[in-house]
Amino acid sequence: MKLDHIGIAVRSIEAASRLYGGYLRLAAAEREELPGERVRVAFFDAGGARIELLEPIGGDGPLARFLAARGEGMHHVAFGVTDIGAALKEAVAFGYRPVDPQPRKGSGGRLIAFLSPKETLGVLIELIQSERDREASDRDPKSG
Ligand code: ZN
């Protein structure tokens, strides 16, 4: 599998952009609100992989609880897969427990699923299916 992105929990995407878009000079890519997940996200291109900043919407979602318990910092590591259904079955065969029994739609409409960090050495791992229509969902890559 290939590293797709690293997710970082922040209280404010605007404040964190000073580091990632400013000092580190990563190019801003997609931004999206995922009200169902109670987060807004902003991606930055970092060579072959990306940084995903995750900011909570309101104080009652899983990310808000993560921030309250652990503060800002690394939230998950995402690996790209070509067939997420097969990758989940293989994870179970390896003894890893999916948080999501079925893949669901994440940012950009890509199918994602998380593995429980209890079995993955404390790191929340996201599987994300490669997208074939990236151009269509990447209308304004330089905004923000
Ligand atoms: Zn992610």
Side-chain angles (χ1 to χ4, degrees):
M1 294 184 194
K2 191 176 165 188
L3 180 64
D4 186 276
H5 64 266
I6 295 171
I8 297 174
V10 299
R11 292 197 174 85
S12 162
I13 284 173
E14 287 314 311
S17 293
R18 182 173 179 274
L19 172 62
Y20 292 96
Y23 172 63
L24 295 172
R25 294 182 182 79
L26 305 183
E30 310 95 276
R31 282 179 177 238
E32 193 173 348
E33 292 215 356
L34 302 167
E37 316 261 332
R38 310 290 289 147
V39 297
R40 59 179 61 92
V41 301
F43 283 92
F44 290 81
D45 289 322
R50 297 177 298 163
I51 297 292
E52 176 187 32
L53 301 180
L54 303 113
E55 173 190 300
I57 299 173
D60 55 349
L63 186 73
R65 289 194 295 274
F66 176 95
L67 280 166
R70 299 169 72 167
E72 293 177 300
M74 202 182 84
H75 182 263
H76 64 272
V77 178
F79 290 92
V81 298
T82 52
D83 181 341
I84 197 164
L88 273 179
K89 279 187 190 141
E90 196 176 10
V92 171
F94 268 77
Y96 305 124
R97 188 164 50 86
V99 175
D100 307 288
Q102 297 296 326
R104 58 190 169 85
K105 281 200 172 176
S107 60
R110 295 171 71 184
L111 288 174
I112 64 167
F114 286 91
L115 302 181
S116 167
K118 288 194 176 75
E119 288 86 22
T120 53
L121 308 173
V123 176
L124 180 62
I125 290 184
E126 176 186 348
L127 303 173
I128 180 165
Q129 187 159 285
S130 310
E131 58 186 328
R132 293 177 190 83
D133 57 343
R134 185 156 191 167
E135 304 78 37
S137 63
D138 204 3
R139 290 180 302 273
D140 191 12
K142 298 293 181 216
S143 71

